[in-house]
Structures are given as structure tokens and as C-alpha cells.
């Protein structure tokens, strides 16, 4: 693989940048600091809501070093230093009741977000609670989610037993074909986002604004929702713990997994 000048580093969080305890280890932090010192812009690229990424961005010093939060799987990009939204795409409000009805029919939980955290009609659902753990935000119970959401949202999230993921996904794609996009982001999550929203699309917009091309981008991920940015990037990296189709999409698969500094390995190899 020819050497590319990496100027932007896009990192999925869960299962990639963070270990299974949702922590960025010291070795990975050191590698990130070294990349930032070389002038590389770090983009935390996650399905989480923006509020669920801000604490990690601050912990990594991106508010001072510069960097971006790509949240909602590409629905929004925020500049960490200024807090300015650089890009956003909202889910058409007419699909909120339709998605809630679909989840009820399938007997699975569905959540979305307000400024405080995660909102759901099923706050005790174990799969819905995984989203609170993932993004470090509290759960709020609402009686009627469709009626509650009277403000713009970037996405909804169907949470379910992994044994049912593929079957529910197939049913949802039939119902919402040509209206919104549904795709899995973990064994127990299905993202519901506006048509065409994906990590690669918003990264392309960001690179254009920076006067850079995809050859200047390295992207690291592990989930099916990371495939688009891994394929798009000049250097696409899959973690050792990635799902098989993600590894197939990558230019490089790390020897280490997310619990053993796979991201640091990729930074050492391609940036430092």
C-alpha cells in the first residue's frame, strides 16, 4: 500500500477506540496525542448522540487541540473547539410514529434522545439500557414516545436481542424502503436514520470544507455501520474484533483488538 499523508483520523468509539469498559487506555491516548501533535485532526465518529461523545472528546482534550464529533452515525458533525455544528441532517418527523408502531408490532424497544439523555417507553428493557451504558447518559421514561418527540432528532435506535436483529432488520427495510435507512451498528442495535446518512457521507463533507481528499483520511472501526467510512478512507482499518464483513472492507486489519490498543497500532503504522 502506498504511503498516504493522513491529515484526518476518524475513529469509531465502541469496540474501536474504547475497550469493553468504554475506556481509552493510556497507550492509545499517547498515540492520539502524538497524531494530534503532527497536525492530524481527530474525528470521533459514532452512532452515539452528540451529548454521549462530548465527555470523551473533553477527556482527550479535543476541545483544546481541535477535533470534531461526528455523531448519530453521520447525522451531525460538531467542532469540539467552538461547539459549532458543521453539518446536520434531521429525521423527518412523520417517521417517528411509524417507527414507534413498527417497534411495537415487532415487540422490541425503540429509543431516541433529548438534551438530557435517552428517552424510551421501555426504560427497563435490557437492550435499551445498553445504549445508556454505551453513551454514558441517563434513561428517561416517557408514556408515548411518538407524542413526546416534538423537536428535531437525527435518529431513532431499535434495541433488541441479537438473535432477532437480522429478522427485524429485514422486516423494517421492507416497511421503510425508499423512506429512511435502517442498518445494524452492533449485534443489538438497528439505526434508523434519514436516507443517505452514513459516516462516509458526512466525512466527505468535512474533508471538502478542509480542502482535503479521501486520501488524507484514515478511518478505524469494528461495526457494520463503519464499513462505509472504512471503504471510503484512503486508509481503512478494521479492528481484530470487527465483524467479518468489516474486515473484508478494510485495507488493514489490526493484530490487536479494542482491548489491546488496536487503534494505537494503526496510528503507529500509518501516521507516526
Amino acid at each position: 500500500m502506498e504511503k498516504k499523508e493522513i491529515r484526518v483520523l476518524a475513529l469509531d468509539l465502541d469496540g474501536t477506540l474504547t475497550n469493553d469498559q468504554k475506556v481509552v487506555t493510556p497507550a492509545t491516548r499517547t498515540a492520539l496525542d502524538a497524531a494530534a501533535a503532527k497536525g492530524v485532526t481527530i474525528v470521533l465518529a459514532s452512532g452515539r448522540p452528540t451529548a454521549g461523545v462530548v465527555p470523551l472528546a473533553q477527556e482527550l482534550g479535543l476541545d483544546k487541540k481541535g477535533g470534531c464529533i461526528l455523531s448519530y452515525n453521520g447525522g451531525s458533525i460538531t467542532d469540539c473547539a467552538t461547539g459549532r455544528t458543521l453539518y446536520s441532517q434531521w429525521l423527518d418527523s412523520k417517521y417517528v410514529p411509524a417507527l414507534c408502531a413498527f417497534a411495537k408490532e415487532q415487540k422490541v424497544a425503540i429509543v431516541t434522545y433529548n438534551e438530557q439523555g435517552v428517552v424510551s417507553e421501555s426504560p427497563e428493557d435490557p437492550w435499551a439500557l445498553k445504549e445508556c451504558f454505551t453513551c454514558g447518559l441517563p434513561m428517561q421514561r416517557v408514556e408515548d414516545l411518538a407524542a413526546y418527540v416534538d423537536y428535531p432528532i437525527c435518529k431513532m435506535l431499535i434495541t433488541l436481542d441479537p438473535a432477532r436483529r437480522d429478522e427485524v432488520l429485514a422486516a423494517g427495510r421492507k416497511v421503510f424502503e425508499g423512506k429512511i435507512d435502517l442498518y445494524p451498528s452492533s449485534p443489538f442495535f438497528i439505526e434508523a436514520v434519514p436516507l443517505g446518512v452514513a459516516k462516509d457521507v458526512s466525512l466527505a463533507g468535512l474533508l471538502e470544507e478542509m480542502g482535503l481528499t479521501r486520501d488524507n483520511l484514515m478511518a478505524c472501526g469494528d461495526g457494520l455501520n463503519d464499513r462505509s467510512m472504512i471503504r471510503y478512507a484512503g486508509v481503512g482499518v478494521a479492528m481484530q474484533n470487527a465483524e467479518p464483513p468489516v474486515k473484508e472492507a478494510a485495507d488493514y486489519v489490526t493484530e490487536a483488538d479494542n482491548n489491546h490498543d488496536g487503534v494505537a497500532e494503526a496510528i503507529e503504522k500509518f501516521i507516526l
Side-chain angles (χ1 to χ4, degrees):
M1 210 173 128
E2 62 179 292
K3 192 89 171 122
K4 295 187 164 82
E5 192 206 348
I6 303 303
R7 301 276 303 282
V8 178
L9 172 59
L11 298 166
D12 170 59
L13 304 187
D14 305 297
T16 302
L17 178 61
T18 63
N19 63 16
D20 293 348
Q21 280 65 56
K22 307 295 177 200
V23 171
V24 180
T25 63
T28 294
R29 286 197 61 155
T30 301
L32 286 174
D33 288 344
K38 276 191 78 171
V40 173
T41 299
I42 291 163
V43 180
L44 302 180
S46 176
R48 296 185 194 183
T50 309
V53 187
V54 168
L56 182 61
Q58 288 173 342
E59 186 193 314
L60 296 174
L62 298 190
D63 46 340
K64 298 180 184 63
K65 293 196 263 281
C68 296
I69 292 170
L70 181 160
S71 48
Y72 302 108
N73 265 317
S76 178
I77 296 186
T78 309
D79 182 316
C80 294
T82 62
R84 193 166 68 89
T85 301
L86 305 176
Y87 175 97
S88 64
Q89 273 198 292
W90 305 109
L91 186 66
D92 190 324
S93 60
K94 70 181 177 202
Y95 296 124
V96 174
L99 280 160
C100 291
F102 172 75
K104 263 199 188 75
E105 204 176 277
Q106 293 288 333
K107 299 185 170 55
V108 296
I110 190 165
V111 309
T112 191
Y113 312 89
N114 60 16
E115 283 181 2
Q116 288 72 47
V118 182
V119 284
S120 176
E121 291 174 18
S122 330
E124 298 86 26
D125 182 88
W127 308 106
L129 286 168
K130 281 190 181 293
E131 176 63 351
C132 295
F133 172 67
T134 295
C135 49
L137 294 171
M139 170 71 82
Q140 183 183 332
R141 182 200 170 88
V142 293
E143 279 307 313
D144 181 341
L145 188 59
Y148 176 83
V149 179
D150 59 357
Y151 51 91
I153 57 171
C154 288
K155 75 165 196 179
M156 296 191 84
L157 184 73
I158 293 168
T159 66
L160 72 184
D161 184 322
R164 294 201 59 213
R165 181 186 77 174
D166 295 349
E167 153 215 347
V168 173
L169 179 62
R173 281 180 169 164
K174 268 200 192 106
V175 174
F176 295 104
E177 191 182 0
K179 297 172 183 168
I180 55 177
D181 278 340
L182 294 177
Y183 50 78
S185 58
S186 89
F188 34 80
F189 291 157
I190 297 170
E191 311 279 332
V193 299
L195 276 182
V197 162
K199 293 183 180 182
D200 63 325
V201 178
S202 43
L203 284 168
L206 180 67
L207 288 168
E208 193 179 339
E209 193 166 298
M210 294 172 77
L212 300 172
T213 72
R214 58 199 282 182
D215 278 347
N216 302 121
L217 172 69
M218 176 162 109
C220 303
D222 72 302
L224 294 173
N225 61 320
D226 298 320
R227 273 185 304 182
S228 69
M229 71 170 181
I230 286 172
R231 282 200 195 102
Y232 172 75
V235 179
V237 177
M239 294 293 110
Q240 186 55 53
N241 50 286
E243 296 196 43
V246 183
K247 291 181 176 177
E248 282 160 30
D251 300 303
Y252 178 75
V253 178
T254 60
E255 287 175 28
D257 63 15
N258 67 306
N259 289 316
H260 299 90
D261 302 302
V263 164
E265 177 191 323
I267 291 173
E268 296 282 348
K269 187 174 176 69
F270 296 105
I271 295 177
L272 307 178

